[in-house]
Amino acid sequence: MPNKIFHTPPLGNLSDTAQAHADSPQTQTQAIDAAPAAAPKTRKAAVPKIPDIPMPPAYRVTPLARYNGASTLNGQADKWRTQAMRSHRTPSLIWFTRGQGRFTVSGITRGFGPHNLVYLPPRTMYGFDPIGQISGYSVHLPQTEQNDLPDEPLHLRFTEVIQQNEITGLIEGLAREIDSTQPGHDRALALQAGMISVWLERQMSVMPEYELTPDASRRLVAAYTALVEAQFRDGHNVSHYAAALGVTPTHLTRACNIANGHPASKILADRVHFEARRMLKETDLPVKDIASKLGFHSPAYFSRAFQKTTGTSPRKYRHAR
């Protein structure tokens, strides 16, 4: 069994043991549809048909020291890229070879140190906050049957040098192949990714269990982050998510504070504003279209909310270095 910190349900698939706080995916949808019409909303629920950010390359290896284009993870201007809640559309791994800090996955915050590996299934909400300099890699792989990657997040700690060298070697081999122009390039990439998948499966089979089942609060927060990830563009507020999960907003916020030290409103705001910043930096969409895509009822309201969070207007943020 794997050395797990997170044993949380995959997106939209809540465990039976979480029934006290959340229903099955089908029941969640019914509950959302049946939510009282009078529930207050700050932004409209309709999602405009605006093209999404284009998919990045299927295979990516990014050194953590230059994560998402930042020259260092310690730069204040780019801290939002690591700390704020976000997700990826394909499976990813974060391999820390040096340094320490905290990371939050599915709303649950834990510490990490050197030679820690975090695996993230697609659409898993996460963020991490390094303390000082760190090193390692962020790895993104396509979701294929051959990879056969786990369905739930994992946190593995490796103390054996041979394990540390093996995963580092596999990741660096994938990075070299990404840059290669040799014949058989596509097949070599698939085989290299498959070796990483097999290696991870083998480590999971020999690692001891670690906090296999989180408590009720953390399971509730995992369910909440899964719903937020699925619906954050729809303009719902915390009251809507709490109703969908069958709890009060106060209870949901209390659980979030236990799991990660932040209220439910901050988790939701972080996810929305990360997407806003990313779209401002990575697309040419007009500000009004970004506001509409994220469920804000007007560009003016979006600009006020964005400035309150970042200290600058969306247009100034887009053009800042």
Side-chain angles (χ1 to χ4, degrees), residues 133-190:
Q133 294 283 349
I134 67 170
S135 298
Y137 298 96
S138 172
V139 181
H140 300 270
L141 304 171
Q143 190 173 23
T144 65
E145 292 183 2
Q146 290 79 7
N147 285 348
D148 194 24
L149 291 160
D151 294 326
E152 46 184 62
L154 300 172
H155 176 207
L156 306 176
R157 296 182 174 95
F158 298 104
T159 58
E160 299 294 331
V161 174
I162 188 171
Q163 295 172 309
Q164 300 164 10
N165 290 341
E166 283 175 349
I167 185 59
T168 298
L170 287 170
I171 291 172
E172 291 178 346
L174 178 64
R176 287 192 297 271
E177 191 56 49
I178 289 173
D179 295 332
S180 172
T181 58
Q182 295 287 330
H185 171 68
D186 291 341
R187 190 166 78 255
L189 280 175

Side-chain angles (χ1 to χ4, degrees), residues 85-101:
M85 296 296 100
R86 97 305 299 258
S87 72
H88 302 293
R89 285 174 276 182
T90 56
S92 57
L93 299 91
I94 303 175
W95 171 230
F96 298 102
T97 58
R98 186 183 71 174
Q100 60 183 334

